[in-house]
Amino acid sequence: MPELPEVESVRRSLEPQVVGLKIHGIEVFETRLRYPVKPQKLKNRLLKKSIQKIHRRSKYLILDLEDGQHLMVHLGMSGVFYLSESTQTREKHLHIILKIGENKELRFTDPRRFGMFEALSSAELKRDKRLLNLGPEPLSEELERDYLFQLSRGVRKPVKNFIMDSRKLVGVGNIYACEALFQAGIHPQRAAGRISAQSWDRLFTAIQSILHQAIQNGGTTVSDFKNGNHEIGNFQNRLQVYQRTGESCNRCQKTIRQKVLAGRSSYYCPGCQK
């Protein structure tokens, strides 16, 4: 957490408010993030540059600025990147401030400090190793419906681990993998290569449907997540299996179970998911 819908919610909430505004000040209070923050590099690359566009690649938020400069942000496990009035009280764990427009600030908080805040040129962004080996976007119109079926042939790993592999498909984190598998009626431990084309088609539809629903509901807030307006998401109120161990399935009334796969808790219904 945050996953693709949360990052997309941040992008959609920020872009209409900040595009066209110029960064005229940068303050860094903490450099010890997942990748060390370089204050002088941020200032050299971003100061006096206007924000032209905000886009997303996987779970990375990318701000395009003038003169081929970019700011790449990753929220890590607890990061929040949001727009604030400059007069608003500065909260705990506030690490970076970008002063934009008149009396506005883009603030980055991150209690657990697994996030990222890095300035890159267009050339550096193009060859950045964190982006080079990423799989396709699950909501891309160019993605073929049988892509996952064809890719999974002969694969023995559990289907949940397979769809969470960012080299195969980006942005399907633990929450949405659990929910999509439930919607498709597939047990998370089933071998990816033994799932039929028909079942893969159901799962492909479920992945896209769940991600769209989550985005429309502003993402899922189970702990720290807030969007670019510092508002929590609402999709947690629609979760069918995630973190519902011991509760009754809304579909068949059997008890939701939990199993650890590849170090991640997997939630599923033994009645609905075979």
Side-chain angles (χ1 to χ4, degrees):
M1 262 293 289
E3 301 178 14
L4 185 154
E6 288 71 54
V7 179
E8 180 63 19
S9 295
V10 173
R11 188 196 71 78
R12 293 187 182 191
S13 58
L14 284 181
E15 188 171 52
Q17 303 185 82
V18 305
V19 166
L21 298 183
K22 185 170 292 187
I23 298 173
H24 59 80
I26 299 175
E27 293 184 64
V28 177
F29 309 109
E30 176 61 79
T31 62
R32 296 172 298 166
L33 300 185
R34 182 177 181 181
Y35 301 99
V37 178
K38 300 176 181 178
Q40 195 56 51
K41 183 180 179 183
L42 288 176
K43 293 174 182 178
N44 291 343
R45 299 289 186 90
L46 308 182
L47 273 179
K48 299 182 180 180
K49 304 288 194 305
S50 64
I51 301 169
Q52 298 183 325
K53 181 182 178 181
I54 304 181
H55 58 102
R56 177 191 55 75
R57 179 67 172 115
S58 184
K59 300 178 187 179
Y60 293 95
L61 195 67
I62 302 171
L63 283 70
D64 296 342
L65 290 89
E66 292 179 286
D67 300 331
Q69 299 300 322
H70 308 268
L71 172 64
M72 188 157 71
V73 179
H74 194 290
L75 302 178
M77 299 179 71
S78 61
V80 179
F81 188 49
Y82 69 100
L83 188 64
S84 170
E85 297 288 339
S86 59
T87 54
Q88 185 175 326
T89 302
R90 294 184 176 183
E91 61 274 67
K92 188 177 181 181
H93 305 299
L94 175 59
H95 302 325
I96 302 166
I97 289 177
L98 302 181
K99 298 178 181 294
I100 60 174
E102 293 185 12
N103 304 316
K104 297 285 186 181
E105 295 178 348
L106 279 170
R107 296 183 176 186
F108 183 75
T109 64
D110 188 5
R112 301 186 69 176
R113 300 208 308 269
F114 282 103
M116 167 190 162
F117 209 89
E118 187 170 340
L120 300 166
S121 67
S122 292
E124 290 169 333
L125 185 68
K126 188 174 181 179
R127 62 173 182 265
D128 191 280
K129 293 181 179 180
R130 291 163 293 201
L131 304 178
L132 282 177
N133 297 317
L134 292 175
E137 293 281 338
L139 300 180
S140 169
E141 294 181 359
E142 287 75 35
L143 187 61
E144 299 289 339
R145 289 194 64 84
D146 68 344
Y147 166 77
L148 292 173
F149 170 71
Q150 297 295 341
L151 199 63
S152 68
R153 297 306 83 192
V155 176
R156 296 182 179 181
K157 71 163 61 174
V159 60
K160 179 168 178 280
N161 299 355
F162 182 82
I163 63 175
M164 287 181 63
D165 184 346
S166 64
R167 296 167 297 179
K168 307 290 192 301
L169 190 71
V170 301
V172 184
N174 199 32
I175 295 174
Y176 303 110
C178 290
E179 294 296 310
L181 286 164
F182 171 77
Q183 183 168 303
I186 298 172
H187 194 286
Q189 204 169 8
R190 281 182 62 184
R194 299 189 64 182
I195 295 175
S196 68
Q198 184 179 12
S199 294
W200 266 116
D201 191 67
R202 287 202 318 274
L203 181 53
F204 181 86
T205 298
I207 289 171
Q208 292 194 323
S209 173
I210 290 293
L211 292 176
H212 276 304
Q213 290 177 51
I215 292 168
Q216 290 167 4
N217 283 272
T220 303
T221 299
V222 293
S223 55
D224 305 287
F225 172 71
K226 293 181 181 178
N227 67 15
N229 294 320
H230 217 234
E231 302 166 335
I232 66 170
N234 291 305
F235 194 66
Q236 64 274 9
N237 301 317
R238 297 171 177 261
L239 297 174
Q240 298 297 306
V241 290
Y242 184 77
Q243 290 191 347
R244 293 192 61 225
T245 307
E247 298 180 30
S248 296
C249 172
N250 294 327
R251 185 184 296 168
C252 74
Q253 305 308 309
K254 288 196 174 181
T255 303
I256 303 298
R257 294 181 183 175
Q258 177 181 355
K259 189 177 188 68
V260 176
L261 293 176
R264 305 298 297 275
S265 291
S266 300
Y267 304 88
Y268 66 98
C269 170
C272 296
Q273 295 171 259
K274 304 297 185 181

PDB file of all heavy atoms in Angstrom, residues 46-74:
ATOM      1  N   LEU A  46      14.405  21.559 -10.412  1.00  0.00           N
ATOM      2  CA  LEU A  46      12.982  21.875 -10.349  1.00  0.00           C
ATOM      3  C   LEU A  46      12.636  23.344 -10.122  1.00  0.00           C
ATOM      4  O   LEU A  46      11.559  23.792 -10.531  1.00  0.00           O
ATOM      5  CB  LEU A  46      12.317  21.049  -9.229  1.00  0.00           C
ATOM      6  CG  LEU A  46      12.550  19.531  -9.241  1.00  0.00           C
ATOM      7  CD1 LEU A  46      11.778  18.874  -8.107  1.00  0.00           C
ATOM      8  CD2 LEU A  46      12.152  18.920 -10.580  1.00  0.00           C
ATOM      9  N   LEU A  47      13.523  24.094  -9.482  1.00  0.00           N
ATOM     10  CA  LEU A  47      13.202  25.486  -9.163  1.00  0.00           C
ATOM     11  C   LEU A  47      12.950  26.319 -10.427  1.00  0.00           C
ATOM     12  O   LEU A  47      13.647  26.186 -11.436  1.00  0.00           O
ATOM     13  CB  LEU A  47      14.324  26.119  -8.342  1.00  0.00           C
ATOM     14  CG  LEU A  47      14.254  25.929  -6.820  1.00  0.00           C
ATOM     15  CD1 LEU A  47      15.450  26.586  -6.152  1.00  0.00           C
ATOM     16  CD2 LEU A  47      12.948  26.489  -6.253  1.00  0.00           C
ATOM     17  N   LYS A  48      11.926  27.152 -10.354  1.00  0.00           N
ATOM     18  CA  LYS A  48      11.521  28.060 -11.433  1.00  0.00           C
ATOM     19  C   LYS A  48      11.000  27.323 -12.669  1.00  0.00           C
ATOM     20  O   LYS A  48      10.907  27.899 -13.754  1.00  0.00           O
ATOM     21  CB  LYS A  48      12.670  28.997 -11.818  1.00  0.00           C
ATOM     22  CG  LYS A  48      13.124  29.887 -10.666  1.00  0.00           C
ATOM     23  CD  LYS A  48      14.223  30.834 -11.103  1.00  0.00           C
ATOM     24  CE  LYS A  48      14.661  31.720  -9.925  1.00  0.00           C
ATOM     25  NZ  LYS A  48      15.740  32.658 -10.312  1.00  0.00           N
ATOM     26  N   LYS A  49      10.644  26.042 -12.495  1.00  0.00           N
ATOM     27  CA  LYS A  49      10.065  25.268 -13.583  1.00  0.00           C
ATOM     28  C   LYS A  49       8.566  25.089 -13.322  1.00  0.00           C
ATOM     29  O   LYS A  49       8.136  24.817 -12.200  1.00  0.00           O
ATOM     30  CB  LYS A  49      10.724  23.887 -13.682  1.00  0.00           C
ATOM     31  CG  LYS A  49      12.236  23.894 -13.851  1.00  0.00           C
ATOM     32  CD  LYS A  49      12.624  24.353 -15.232  1.00  0.00           C
ATOM     33  CE  LYS A  49      14.079  24.049 -15.548  1.00  0.00           C
ATOM     34  NZ  LYS A  49      15.042  24.580 -14.595  1.00  0.00           N
ATOM     35  N   SER A  50       7.757  25.222 -14.362  1.00  0.00           N
ATOM     36  CA  SER A  50       6.317  25.020 -14.216  1.00  0.00           C
ATOM     37  C   SER A  50       5.959  23.556 -14.459  1.00  0.00           C
ATOM     38  O   SER A  50       6.623  22.856 -15.246  1.00  0.00           O
ATOM     39  CB  SER A  50       5.537  25.913 -15.166  1.00  0.00           C
ATOM     40  OG  SER A  50       5.814  25.573 -16.509  1.00  0.00           O
ATOM     41  N   ILE A  51       4.922  23.099 -13.782  1.00  0.00           N
ATOM     42  CA  ILE A  51       4.447  21.718 -13.922  1.00  0.00           C
ATOM     43  C   ILE A  51       3.567  21.641 -15.166  1.00  0.00           C
ATOM     44  O   ILE A  51       2.579  22.351 -15.296  1.00  0.00           O
ATOM     45  CB  ILE A  51       3.656  21.290 -12.673  1.00  0.00           C
ATOM     46  CG1 ILE A  51       4.546  21.396 -11.429  1.00  0.00           C
ATOM     47  CG2 ILE A  51       3.122  19.865 -12.835  1.00  0.00           C
ATOM     48  CD1 ILE A  51       3.792  21.249 -10.117  1.00  0.00           C
ATOM     49  N   GLN A  52       3.920  20.749 -16.092  1.00  0.00           N
ATOM     50  CA  GLN A  52       3.202  20.654 -17.359  1.00  0.00           C
ATOM     51  C   GLN A  52       2.216  19.497 -17.410  1.00  0.00           C
ATOM     52  O   GLN A  52       1.203  19.564 -18.105  1.00  0.00           O
ATOM     53  CB  GLN A  52       4.205  20.535 -18.507  1.00  0.00           C
ATOM     54  CG  GLN A  52       5.125  21.742 -18.633  1.00  0.00           C
ATOM     55  CD  GLN A  52       6.059  21.642 -19.810  1.00  0.00           C
ATOM     56  OE1 GLN A  52       6.527  20.560 -20.165  1.00  0.00           O
ATOM     57  NE2 GLN A  52       6.339  22.766 -20.449  1.00  0.00           N
ATOM     58  N   LYS A  53       2.506  18.428 -16.667  1.00  0.00           N
ATOM     59  CA  LYS A  53       1.648  17.241 -16.718  1.00  0.00           C
ATOM     60  C   LYS A  53       1.985  16.338 -15.535  1.00  0.00           C
ATOM     61  O   LYS A  53       3.107  16.357 -15.035  1.00  0.00           O
ATOM     62  CB  LYS A  53       1.888  16.486 -18.041  1.00  0.00           C
ATOM     63  CG  LYS A  53       1.044  15.239 -18.237  1.00  0.00           C
ATOM     64  CD  LYS A  53       1.399  14.557 -19.561  1.00  0.00           C
ATOM     65  CE  LYS A  53       0.605  13.281 -19.742  1.00  0.00           C
ATOM     66  NZ  LYS A  53       0.948  12.585 -21.023  1.00  0.00           N
ATOM     67  N   ILE A  54       1.008  15.553 -15.103  1.00  0.00           N
ATOM     68  CA  ILE A  54       1.267  14.507 -14.108  1.00  0.00           C
ATOM     69  C   ILE A  54       0.765  13.196 -14.697  1.00  0.00           C
ATOM     70  O   ILE A  54      -0.380  13.099 -15.135  1.00  0.00           O
ATOM     71  CB  ILE A  54       0.558  14.772 -12.768  1.00  0.00           C
ATOM     72  CG1 ILE A  54       0.944  16.136 -12.201  1.00  0.00           C
ATOM     73  CG2 ILE A  54       0.905  13.672 -11.771  1.00  0.00           C
ATOM     74  CD1 ILE A  54       0.293  16.457 -10.864  1.00  0.00           C
ATOM     75  N   HIS A  55       1.623  12.202 -14.737  1.00  0.00           N
ATOM     76  CA  HIS A  55       1.191  10.892 -15.203  1.00  0.00           C
ATOM     77  C   HIS A  55       1.697   9.813 -14.253  1.00  0.00           C
ATOM     78  O   HIS A  55       2.410  10.100 -13.284  1.00  0.00           O
ATOM     79  CB  HIS A  55       1.629  10.628 -16.652  1.00  0.00           C
ATOM     80  CG  HIS A  55       3.104  10.714 -16.883  1.00  0.00           C
ATOM     81  ND1 HIS A  55       3.908   9.612 -17.006  1.00  0.00           N
ATOM     82  CD2 HIS A  55       3.923  11.785 -17.041  1.00  0.00           C
ATOM     83  CE1 HIS A  55       5.147   9.995 -17.233  1.00  0.00           C
ATOM     84  NE2 HIS A  55       5.188  11.307 -17.255  1.00  0.00           N
ATOM     85  N   ARG A  56       1.273   8.596 -14.505  1.00  0.00           N
ATOM     86  CA  ARG A  56       1.602   7.483 -13.621  1.00  0.00           C
ATOM     87  C   ARG A  56       2.157   6.325 -14.445  1.00  0.00           C
ATOM     88  O   ARG A  56       1.671   6.037 -15.529  1.00  0.00           O
ATOM     89  CB  ARG A  56       0.329   7.019 -12.890  1.00  0.00           C
ATOM     90  CG  ARG A  56       0.548   5.803 -11.983  1.00  0.00           C
ATOM     91  CD  ARG A  56      -0.779   5.217 -11.509  1.00  0.00           C
ATOM     92  NE  ARG A  56      -1.664   4.892 -12.613  1.00  0.00           N
ATOM     93  CZ  ARG A  56      -1.512   3.841 -13.406  1.00  0.00           C
ATOM     94  NH1 ARG A  56      -0.498   2.994 -13.219  1.00  0.00           N
ATOM     95  NH2 ARG A  56      -2.365   3.633 -14.393  1.00  0.00           N
ATOM     96  N   ARG A  57       3.173   5.666 -13.918  1.00  0.00           N
ATOM     97  CA  ARG A  57       3.664   4.398 -14.479  1.00  0.00           C
ATOM     98  C   ARG A  57       3.743   3.427 -13.326  1.00  0.00           C
ATOM     99  O   ARG A  57       4.510   3.648 -12.377  1.00  0.00           O
ATOM    100  CB  ARG A  57       5.038   4.591 -15.137  1.00  0.00           C
ATOM    101  CG  ARG A  57       5.615   3.283 -15.710  1.00  0.00           C
ATOM    102  CD  ARG A  57       4.803   2.790 -16.890  1.00  0.00           C
ATOM    103  NE  ARG A  57       5.461   1.658 -17.552  1.00  0.00           N
ATOM    104  CZ  ARG A  57       4.961   0.427 -17.589  1.00  0.00           C
ATOM    105  NH1 ARG A  57       3.804   0.146 -16.989  1.00  0.00           N
ATOM    106  NH2 ARG A  57       5.605  -0.545 -18.232  1.00  0.00           N
ATOM    107  N   SER A  58       2.914   2.380 -13.377  1.00  0.00           N
ATOM    108  CA  SER A  58       2.814   1.447 -12.258  1.00  0.00           C
ATOM    109  C   SER A  58       2.442   2.234 -11.001  1.00  0.00           C
ATOM    110  O   SER A  58       1.458   2.953 -10.985  1.00  0.00           O
ATOM    111  CB  SER A  58       4.124   0.678 -12.091  1.00  0.00           C
ATOM    112  OG  SER A  58       4.026  -0.285 -11.067  1.00  0.00           O
ATOM    113  N   LYS A  59       3.260   2.153  -9.951  1.00  0.00           N
ATOM    114  CA  LYS A  59       2.981   2.879  -8.714  1.00  0.00           C
ATOM    115  C   LYS A  59       3.842   4.137  -8.584  1.00  0.00           C
ATOM    116  O   LYS A  59       3.919   4.732  -7.507  1.00  0.00           O
ATOM    117  CB  LYS A  59       3.214   1.958  -7.510  1.00  0.00           C
ATOM    118  CG  LYS A  59       2.334   0.711  -7.526  1.00  0.00           C
ATOM    119  CD  LYS A  59       2.633  -0.190  -6.346  1.00  0.00           C
ATOM    120  CE  LYS A  59       1.876  -1.505  -6.448  1.00  0.00           C
ATOM    121  NZ  LYS A  59       2.176  -2.398  -5.305  1.00  0.00           N
ATOM    122  N   TYR A  60       4.473   4.538  -9.685  1.00  0.00           N
ATOM    123  CA  TYR A  60       5.287   5.752  -9.690  1.00  0.00           C
ATOM    124  C   TYR A  60       4.462   6.922 -10.215  1.00  0.00           C
ATOM    125  O   TYR A  60       3.819   6.829 -11.272  1.00  0.00           O
ATOM    126  CB  TYR A  60       6.533   5.579 -10.556  1.00  0.00           C
ATOM    127  CG  TYR A  60       7.516   4.581 -10.013  1.00  0.00           C
ATOM    128  CD1 TYR A  60       7.497   3.254 -10.451  1.00  0.00           C
ATOM    129  CD2 TYR A  60       8.471   4.943  -9.063  1.00  0.00           C
ATOM    130  CE1 TYR A  60       8.395   2.323  -9.957  1.00  0.00           C
ATOM    131  CE2 TYR A  60       9.373   4.021  -8.563  1.00  0.00           C
ATOM    132  CZ  TYR A  60       9.323   2.716  -9.008  1.00  0.00           C
ATOM    133  OH  TYR A  60      10.223   1.794  -8.517  1.00  0.00           O
ATOM    134  N   LEU A  61       4.500   8.029  -9.509  1.00  0.00           N
ATOM    135  CA  LEU A  61       3.861   9.266  -9.926  1.00  0.00           C
ATOM    136  C   LEU A  61       4.951  10.140 -10.546  1.00  0.00           C
ATOM    137  O   LEU A  61       5.999  10.364  -9.932  1.00  0.00           O
ATOM    138  CB  LEU A  61       3.249   9.964  -8.710  1.00  0.00           C
ATOM    139  CG  LEU A  61       2.250  11.088  -8.949  1.00  0.00           C
ATOM    140  CD1 LEU A  61       0.977  10.524  -9.576  1.00  0.00           C
ATOM    141  CD2 LEU A  61       1.925  11.767  -7.626  1.00  0.00           C
ATOM    142  N   ILE A  62       4.718  10.626 -11.772  1.00  0.00           N
ATOM    143  CA  ILE A  62       5.754  11.385 -12.484  1.00  0.00           C
ATOM    144  C   ILE A  62       5.211  12.749 -12.881  1.00  0.00           C
ATOM    145  O   ILE A  62       4.206  12.843 -13.588  1.00  0.00           O
ATOM    146  CB  ILE A  62       6.245  10.626 -13.725  1.00  0.00           C
ATOM    147  CG1 ILE A  62       6.797   9.254 -13.319  1.00  0.00           C
ATOM    148  CG2 ILE A  62       7.314  11.437 -14.456  1.00  0.00           C
ATOM    149  CD1 ILE A  62       7.114   8.331 -14.474  1.00  0.00           C
ATOM    150  N   LEU A  63       5.869  13.801 -12.401  1.00  0.00           N
ATOM    151  CA  LEU A  63       5.515  15.168 -12.754  1.00  0.00           C
ATOM    152  C   LEU A  63       6.465  15.636 -13.851  1.00  0.00           C
ATOM    153  O   LEU A  63       7.689  15.630 -13.663  1.00  0.00           O
ATOM    154  CB  LEU A  63       5.627  16.099 -11.541  1.00  0.00           C
ATOM    155  CG  LEU A  63       4.496  16.053 -10.502  1.00  0.00           C
ATOM    156  CD1 LEU A  63       4.510  14.740  -9.718  1.00  0.00           C
ATOM    157  CD2 LEU A  63       4.621  17.225  -9.543  1.00  0.00           C
ATOM    158  N   ASP A  64       5.909  16.007 -14.995  1.00  0.00           N
ATOM    159  CA  ASP A  64       6.710  16.552 -16.099  1.00  0.00           C
ATOM    160  C   ASP A  64       6.791  18.059 -15.937  1.00  0.00           C
ATOM    161  O   ASP A  64       5.769  18.738 -15.794  1.00  0.00           O
ATOM    162  CB  ASP A  64       6.069  16.218 -17.437  1.00  0.00           C
ATOM    163  CG  ASP A  64       6.031  14.725 -17.717  1.00  0.00           C
ATOM    164  OD1 ASP A  64       6.784  13.974 -17.060  1.00  0.00           O
ATOM    165  OD2 ASP A  64       5.236  14.311 -18.582  1.00  0.00           O
ATOM    166  N   LEU A  65       8.017  18.577 -15.997  1.00  0.00           N
ATOM    167  CA  LEU A  65       8.237  20.013 -15.865  1.00  0.00           C
ATOM    168  C   LEU A  65       8.873  20.580 -17.124  1.00  0.00           C
ATOM    169  O   LEU A  65       9.209  19.843 -18.051  1.00  0.00           O
ATOM    170  CB  LEU A  65       9.111  20.310 -14.637  1.00  0.00           C
ATOM    171  CG  LEU A  65       8.436  20.078 -13.274  1.00  0.00           C
ATOM    172  CD1 LEU A  65       8.627  18.647 -12.814  1.00  0.00           C
ATOM    173  CD2 LEU A  65       8.978  21.023 -12.234  1.00  0.00           C
ATOM    174  N   GLU A  66       9.054  21.879 -17.140  1.00  0.00           N
ATOM    175  CA  GLU A  66       9.703  22.548 -18.267  1.00  0.00           C
ATOM    176  C   GLU A  66      11.132  22.042 -18.452  1.00  0.00           C
ATOM    177  O   GLU A  66      11.739  21.493 -17.536  1.00  0.00           O
ATOM    178  CB  GLU A  66       9.757  24.058 -18.021  1.00  0.00           C
ATOM    179  CG  GLU A  66       8.422  24.750 -18.032  1.00  0.00           C
ATOM    180  CD  GLU A  66       8.599  26.225 -17.749  1.00  0.00           C
ATOM    181  OE1 GLU A  66       8.869  26.583 -16.581  1.00  0.00           O
ATOM    182  OE2 GLU A  66       8.478  27.018 -18.699  1.00  0.00           O
ATOM    183  N   ASP A  67      11.646  22.255 -19.657  1.00  0.00           N
ATOM    184  CA  ASP A  67      13.049  21.970 -19.985  1.00  0.00           C
ATOM    185  C   ASP A  67      13.436  20.505 -19.799  1.00  0.00           C
ATOM    186  O   ASP A  67      14.587  20.190 -19.465  1.00  0.00           O
ATOM    187  CB  ASP A  67      13.986  22.858 -19.144  1.00  0.00           C
ATOM    188  CG  ASP A  67      13.750  24.338 -19.380  1.00  0.00           C
ATOM    189  OD1 ASP A  67      13.326  24.692 -20.498  1.00  0.00           O
ATOM    190  OD2 ASP A  67      13.978  25.122 -18.444  1.00  0.00           O
ATOM    191  N   GLY A  68      12.463  19.588 -19.982  1.00  0.00           N
ATOM    192  CA  GLY A  68      12.782  18.167 -19.931  1.00  0.00           C
ATOM    193  C   GLY A  68      13.154  17.643 -18.559  1.00  0.00           C
ATOM    194  O   GLY A  68      13.905  16.663 -18.449  1.00  0.00           O
ATOM    195  N   GLN A  69      12.628  18.263 -17.521  1.00  0.00           N
ATOM    196  CA  GLN A  69      12.885  17.798 -16.153  1.00  0.00           C
ATOM    197  C   GLN A  69      11.644  17.092 -15.600  1.00  0.00           C
ATOM    198  O   GLN A  69      10.510  17.405 -15.994  1.00  0.00           O
ATOM    199  CB  GLN A  69      13.273  18.966 -15.252  1.00  0.00           C
ATOM    200  CG  GLN A  69      14.540  19.690 -15.678  1.00  0.00           C
ATOM    201  CD  GLN A  69      15.750  18.777 -15.705  1.00  0.00           C
ATOM    202  OE1 GLN A  69      15.922  17.905 -14.852  1.00  0.00           O
ATOM    203  NE2 GLN A  69      16.616  18.977 -16.714  1.00  0.00           N
ATOM    204  N   HIS A  70      11.878  16.154 -14.691  1.00  0.00           N
ATOM    205  CA  HIS A  70      10.783  15.358 -14.138  1.00  0.00           C
ATOM    206  C   HIS A  70      11.005  15.136 -12.644  1.00  0.00           C
ATOM    207  O   HIS A  70      12.151  15.065 -12.184  1.00  0.00           O
ATOM    208  CB  HIS A  70      10.704  13.995 -14.833  1.00  0.00           C
ATOM    209  CG  HIS A  70      10.655  14.081 -16.319  1.00  0.00           C
ATOM    210  ND1 HIS A  70       9.480  14.139 -17.031  1.00  0.00           N
ATOM    211  CD2 HIS A  70      11.655  14.128 -17.237  1.00  0.00           C
ATOM    212  CE1 HIS A  70       9.749  14.220 -18.322  1.00  0.00           C
ATOM    213  NE2 HIS A  70      11.070  14.213 -18.475  1.00  0.00           N
ATOM    214  N   LEU A  71       9.919  14.998 -11.935  1.00  0.00           N
ATOM    215  CA  LEU A  71       9.959  14.601 -10.528  1.00  0.00           C
ATOM    216  C   LEU A  71       9.251  13.265 -10.427  1.00  0.00           C
ATOM    217  O   LEU A  71       8.071  13.146 -10.775  1.00  0.00           O
ATOM    218  CB  LEU A  71       9.266  15.631  -9.641  1.00  0.00           C
ATOM    219  CG  LEU A  71       9.086  15.229  -8.167  1.00  0.00           C
ATOM    220  CD1 LEU A  71      10.447  15.060  -7.484  1.00  0.00           C
ATOM    221  CD2 LEU A  71       8.225  16.248  -7.428  1.00  0.00           C
ATOM    222  N   MET A  72       9.972  12.235  -9.958  1.00  0.00           N
ATOM    223  CA  MET A  72       9.382  10.909  -9.790  1.00  0.00           C
ATOM    224  C   MET A  72       9.155  10.661  -8.303  1.00  0.00           C
ATOM    225  O   MET A  72      10.083  10.764  -7.495  1.00  0.00           O
ATOM    226  CB  MET A  72      10.269   9.823 -10.395  1.00  0.00           C
ATOM    227  CG  MET A  72       9.592   8.460 -10.420  1.00  0.00           C
ATOM    228  SD  MET A  72      10.263   7.325 -11.674  1.00  0.00           S
ATOM    229  CE  MET A  72      11.865   6.939 -10.992  1.00  0.00           C
ATOM    230  N   VAL A  73       7.917  10.341  -7.961  1.00  0.00           N
ATOM    231  CA  VAL A  73       7.516  10.147  -6.569  1.00  0.00           C
ATOM    232  C   VAL A  73       6.950   8.743  -6.390  1.00  0.00           C
ATOM    233  O   VAL A  73       6.138   8.287  -7.200  1.00  0.00           O
ATOM    234  CB  VAL A  73       6.453  11.189  -6.142  1.00  0.00           C
ATOM    235  CG1 VAL A  73       6.011  10.958  -4.695  1.00  0.00           C
ATOM    236  CG2 VAL A  73       6.981  12.606  -6.331  1.00  0.00           C
ATOM    237  N   HIS A  74       7.386   8.061  -5.339  1.00  0.00           N
ATOM    238  CA  HIS A  74       6.799   6.774  -4.951  1.00  0.00           C
ATOM    239  C   HIS A  74       6.349   6.920  -3.500  1.00  0.00           C
ATOM    240  O   HIS A  74       7.099   7.406  -2.655  1.00  0.00           O
ATOM    241  CB  HIS A  74       7.831   5.653  -5.094  1.00  0.00           C
ATOM    242  CG  HIS A  74       7.237   4.274  -5.040  1.00  0.00           C
ATOM    243  ND1 HIS A  74       6.710   3.735  -3.885  1.00  0.00           N
ATOM    244  CD2 HIS A  74       7.078   3.333  -6.001  1.00  0.00           C
ATOM    245  CE1 HIS A  74       6.256   2.519  -4.145  1.00  0.00           C
ATOM    246  NE2 HIS A  74       6.463   2.252  -5.428  1.00  0.00           N
TER     247      HIS A  74
END
